[in-house]
Amino acid sequence: MTVTTSEALRTEASRRVPPPPAGGPEPGSPSAPGATTTAERDVTQDATQDVSHDATRDASSDVSRDASSDVSRDADALPGAGTATADARADLTRLLFAGPDPDRTHGTWRRLLGGPAFTYRPGLAPAERAALSYERLRLLNDVLTAEDPAAPARFAADPHRLAALHEWIGPVDGGLTTLASIHYNLFLGSLVDHDLAHDHDLSPFTAMRRVGTFLCTELEHGNDVAAMETVAVLDRERGGFDLHTPTPGAAKFMPNTSLTGGPKTAVVAARLLVDGEDQGIFLFLTPLSDEHGHLPGVRVRRLPDRTGTPVDHCLTSFTHVRLPHEALLQGEHGRLTPEGSLTSVLGNRRKRFLRSIGRVTMGKLCMSAGTLGMARAALTIAVRHAHSRRISGPRAGERLPVAAHRSHHGRLLDALATAYAMTFLHREVVDRFAGLGDGEGDRTAGAAGAAGAGREDRADGTGRGDREDREDREEIERLAAVAKGWITWQARDIAIECRERCGAQGLFPANGISDLPANIEGGITAEGDNLVIWVKAASEMVFGHTVPLPPARTAPGDVDDPAFLRDLLTHAESLWQKRARTALREGPSGDPTGRWNATSTPALEMVEAHACRTAADAFLAAADRATDPTARALLRALCRVFLLRRLREHTGDLLAEGLLTPDQVRALPRALDTATAEAAPHLPTLAEAFDLPPDLLATIPLASGAGITRALEQP
């Protein structure tokens, strides 16, 4: 079926997204609980026959918080791959997609992706691919408006659903992932978080008669966006504002402002000038184009095609564009009367700016979600290929799947362990971020912050004051930045590894994997370049972060115990923090740049260890929530793989500090090999738990046991 128009896409949406059947499986859980799929039976049978049968040997290496009591029980729970139950996979899927109303949060998008509207389409020029992403964006919006015409606005204020959307669409259309993040989070979300949503008709944007975009960074002001030059000057004589780009370097860089996709309106970040006085950066609702073209005073130049899925990125500038007073997005952080009097509960321009662009934090969660979905898709394809691709064995005439070899399945298992850790960390961060809302569960941190910014600290002990709320918000926003950097970097590594493990077949876009590394690059840079946001987090955490060191142990730890391994990672985090503090104190006086240069390396190591330790905590907590014994044992074995891999670079420090003994250091490689052997026969179950739609996987030659030559048979 060829899909070329928005009308056809909407027809497909109505076909592909029926309400879940009563009593049927929750989306986000296996399609047929209690019955193993044909593909799963095939790959698990291959693993049973061809992967070493000693995979479940050495039960003493089981992982548990209480190794002395749980080892034998968990070892018994890890059968051979051929007897792994569908219940285990169902439990893994339940844990991976846990959250409020998983059917509504994840199932809506999972059901949608199985149809031809999201199938890979070869031969499209970059401009055609960009246009297709807009058609698909409208398809997503049709799904929302089918619930209620106002649903897109509520969707923009729901961190769980917003992040989940990006997880599912990331693997199939990187351009769509970018557009959805901009329209729903940065644009519509900014409107929802400000007063304008209460007295302005949002229907042009919720019905997507106008696509929303977000103009913040400038050509010469990216990471230092607070120094932007675009101005909105209050016009006292005529009322409203004069929006102007004063220099070529102030042109807004990379927003999707072309005519592709239809008429557009932007939220534009600009410096508010009142009688020549800079009041800080605010957001302004600015129409850019209509059905006839760009509006007067709006200049748009399309940028060259970039790496990754095409998006209509542009350079955009304004020449004295008139805006009404209502264009200013106002809130507690700043309100301007028509006469030009500004009131704010925040004390300085920087705080007002950060509150205005508060949606960037949710954007970090969206970007990490999109790349997380890409990593899981890459692993699903690579694991399926590893069990269907056969090579010569050691005996004459013998053919083995490449998954039989530790050099192959060990790398995939390492990537799987990381992907599970990434997923559980992301769930933890989104939950905490959503908890910053106003108690109704449908407001973001930006909205919650604006609503509560005027409260005074309570002195009567009856509740939390503004200071405590602010500290919570700052900590969670920092965690979102740290998680974004770690998840997107890990996603790139996973996608590259999976592409390589698929050999030459992985180089063809039709096999669903070759485009993923380049698409992930966009997530690494968007919503704050990873290194820059980590440097900011590092500077705050040197003295503004307390590492939760575990109690001193009275007996040597067990390198097969994930709780002990987690504690070692915490000590590594603390060691790097101490080094950063020492470097900062002893750095060259009178030279701030020199002092930070001496501090930044250990400080960034601290951030890396913090990200891994936080992910391990989320991983262990998820394993504790498992109800199926096989799933629990698999998660513990997988978490051991994750922790042992992360500890390798810290063993010297831990040994020097007396936190590891020489015998324990020597035992670590064997512990990793044992954990890998335990989990290796279950690679298919672990990957299938990611629950990509079977109809989608059937369109990918590698994922369905075929090769790229199958594409030659397509009409």
Side-chain angles (χ1 to χ4, degrees):
M1 175 181 178
T2 301
V3 180
T4 57
T5 66
S6 297
E7 181 178 359
L9 288 169
R10 286 193 292 271
T11 300
E12 179 61 20
S14 64
R15 186 181 73 83
R16 296 299 310 174
V17 193
E26 289 183 350
S29 60
S31 301
T36 306
T37 65
T38 300
E40 187 175 6
R41 284 197 302 271
D42 291 343
V43 292
T44 53
Q45 182 179 10
D46 285 342
T48 306
Q49 294 171 347
D50 297 307
V51 181
S52 298
H53 285 286
D54 66 348
T56 57
R57 187 176 60 185
D58 194 6
S60 63
S61 65
D62 187 74
V63 291
S64 106
R65 291 187 180 275
D66 185 0
S68 61
S69 62
D70 288 343
V71 166
S72 61
R73 182 171 65 249
D74 285 342
D76 292 340
L78 269 180
T83 56
T85 65
D87 289 341
R89 181 196 154 184
D91 202 28
L92 291 171
T93 301
R94 176 185 65 82
L95 293 166
L96 286 165
F97 299 100
D101 195 354
D103 177 60
R104 186 167 180 265
T105 300
H106 291 279
T108 300
W109 312 120
R110 180 184 180 275
R111 289 191 293 272
L112 184 63
L113 295 188
F118 290 93
T119 300
Y120 172 74
R121 297 181 59 197
L124 296 182
E128 294 174 312
R129 294 175 67 191
L132 178 62
S133 293
Y134 278 100
E135 292 182 356
R136 289 169 168 169
L137 180 66
R138 287 188 161 82
L139 170 59
L140 300 179
N141 203 68
D142 288 344
V143 172
L144 289 171
T145 55
E147 300 174 5
D148 175 7
R154 291 195 301 274
F155 173 74
D158 186 335
H160 288 101
R161 291 193 79 195
L162 191 54
L165 168 67
H166 291 75
E167 286 186 47
W168 291 100
I169 63 176
V172 297
D173 192 334
L176 173 63
T177 308
T178 298
L179 297 179
S181 183
I182 293 171
H183 178 78
Y184 290 115
N185 178 56
L186 294 176
F187 176 79
L188 195 54
S190 292
L191 302 187
V192 169
D193 288 353
H194 290 78
D195 292 350
L196 181 141
H198 303 296
D199 52 22
H200 192 89
D201 179 16
L202 300 184
S203 62
F205 316 122
T206 56
M208 211 166 279
R209 295 191 296 274
R210 302 188 67 84
V211 175
T213 185
F214 188 81
L215 281 63
C216 188
T217 56
E218 298 177 349
L219 185 60
E220 294 184 359
H221 303 289
N223 294 323
D224 65 336
V225 67
M228 73 172 62
E229 300 176 68
T230 303
V231 294
V233 181
L234 177 67
D235 188 335
R236 288 191 177 278
E237 293 184 2
R238 294 185 293 175
F241 307 94
D242 182 285
L243 181 66
H244 186 63
T245 303
T247 67
K252 297 297 184 180
F253 181 59
M254 289 191 72
N256 55 317
T257 53
S258 80
L259 299 177
T260 302
K264 293 177 182 173
T265 296
V267 167
V268 180
R271 198 170 296 281
L272 173 62
L273 299 183
V274 178
D275 298 332
E277 183 177 353
D278 182 0
Q279 300 293 340
I281 297 170
F282 288 82
L283 301 180
F284 296 83
L285 187 64
T286 307
L288 300 177
S289 57
D290 58 20
E291 58 275 11
H292 304 295
H294 288 105
L295 300 178
V298 179
R299 185 189 184 198
V300 173
R301 289 177 289 168
R302 192 149 182 169
L303 291 167
D305 293 334
R306 65 165 177 85
T307 298
T309 307
V311 176
D312 57 320
H313 292 301
C314 299
L315 202 62
T316 308
S317 56
F318 304 96
T319 303
H320 299 294
V321 173
R322 297 280 309 161
L323 296 176
H325 185 273
E326 294 76 22
L328 173 64
L329 270 61
Q330 306 184 67
E332 293 291 330
H333 66 291
R335 290 193 174 94
L336 186 71
T337 67
E339 295 73 30
S341 176
L342 181 71
T343 61
S344 174
V345 300
L346 299 179
N348 58 54
R349 291 177 297 182
R350 175 175 172 75
K351 290 181 179 179
R352 291 198 287 269
F353 164 61
L354 293 176
R355 189 61 54 80
S356 292
I357 63 166
R359 272 286 162 164
V360 171
T361 298
M362 184 65 223
K364 291 179 173 65
L365 298 177
C366 291
M367 289 298 98
S368 51
T371 61
L372 175 59
M374 295 179 203
R376 292 200 303 250
L379 279 163
T380 301
I381 295 167
V383 169
R384 284 175 165 235
H385 174 66
H387 288 84
S388 62
R389 176 70 167 180
R390 292 182 175 267
I391 58 176
S392 298
R395 300 180 182 87
E398 185 178 28
R399 302 285 290 175
L400 297 177
V402 291
H405 294 280
R406 181 62 49 86
S407 57
H408 196 98
H409 69 240
R411 289 170 176 263
L412 291 179
L413 192 67
D414 182 27
L416 268 167
T418 303
Y420 270 72
M422 292 156 58
T423 301
F424 294 135
L425 173 62
H426 195 264
R427 299 284 176 262
E428 172 73 15
V429 179
V430 173
D431 284 348
R432 294 186 64 185
F433 182 77
L436 289 172
D438 60 4
E440 298 176 2
D442 62 350
R443 296 285 297 278
T444 66
R455 291 179 297 176
E456 300 293 334
D457 289 346
R458 287 190 173 181
D460 58 4
T462 59
R464 296 175 59 84
D466 181 56
R467 183 177 61 187
E468 290 86 352
D469 289 345
R470 183 173 63 252
E471 290 172 352
D472 281 352
R473 184 165 60 248
E474 291 172 353
E475 177 187 353
I476 293 170
E477 289 176 351
R478 182 171 64 235
L479 179 58
V482 171
K484 185 259 182 180
W486 187 73
I487 289 172
T488 55
W489 272 326
Q490 298 304 313
R492 178 176 60 187
D493 290 347
I494 290 171
I496 292 172
E497 182 70 55
C498 290
R499 206 295 304 158
E500 290 186 13
R501 300 288 67 74
C502 291
Q505 298 272 355
L507 294 172
F508 294 89
N511 273 327
I513 203 168
S514 64
D515 288 341
L516 296 181
N519 290 341
I520 290 170
E521 291 289 349
I524 288 172
T525 301
E527 310 300 8
D529 179 83
N530 280 0
L531 184 58
V532 174
I533 62 177
W534 267 33
V535 166
K536 180 178 182 295
S539 67
E540 296 169 352
M541 293 173 65
V542 171
F543 286 103
H545 167 64
T546 301
V547 180
L549 287 173
R553 288 181 174 267
T554 58
D558 184 348
V559 296
D560 291 325
D561 178 9
F564 173 60
L565 300 176
R566 178 266 181 201
D567 289 351
L568 290 176
L569 197 55
T570 307
H571 283 295
E573 179 184 348
S574 178
L575 288 171
W576 283 113
Q577 185 185 53
K578 291 175 182 176
R579 287 174 178 156
R581 289 176 173 178
T582 299
L584 190 60
R585 291 188 181 109
E586 297 178 354
S589 61
D591 181 5
T593 300
R595 292 182 70 193
W596 180 246
N597 282 340
T599 306
S600 60
T601 297
L604 287 169
E605 292 283 357
M606 170 194 63
V607 174
E608 170 81 18
H610 174 69
C612 294
R613 192 263 301 167
T614 307
D617 286 344
F619 205 146
L620 289 170
D624 286 345
R625 294 193 299 271
T627 57
D628 180 83
T630 300
R632 185 184 307 111
L634 277 173
L635 288 175
R636 287 175 173 166
L638 206 60
C639 190
R640 279 163 54 214
V641 171
F642 173 75
L643 284 163
L644 288 163
R645 288 284 189 185
R646 265 58 196 179
L647 284 169
R648 287 192 303 185
E649 62 189 273
H650 302 295
T651 52
D653 286 336
L654 296 169
L655 179 64
E657 295 294 326
L659 297 164
L660 275 176
T661 67
D663 285 343
Q664 287 173 323
V665 173
R666 284 189 285 268
L668 288 173
R670 176 59 185 274
L672 176 58
D673 193 65
T674 300
T676 300
E678 282 185 14
H682 304 277
L683 269 173
T685 298
L686 290 165
E688 295 300 317
F690 293 151
D691 210 29
L692 267 68
D695 288 349
L696 176 65
L697 292 172
T699 68
I700 300 172
L702 277 189
S704 55
I708 191 59
T709 54
R710 196 186 76 179
L712 301 176
E713 304 167 3
Q714 303 297 321

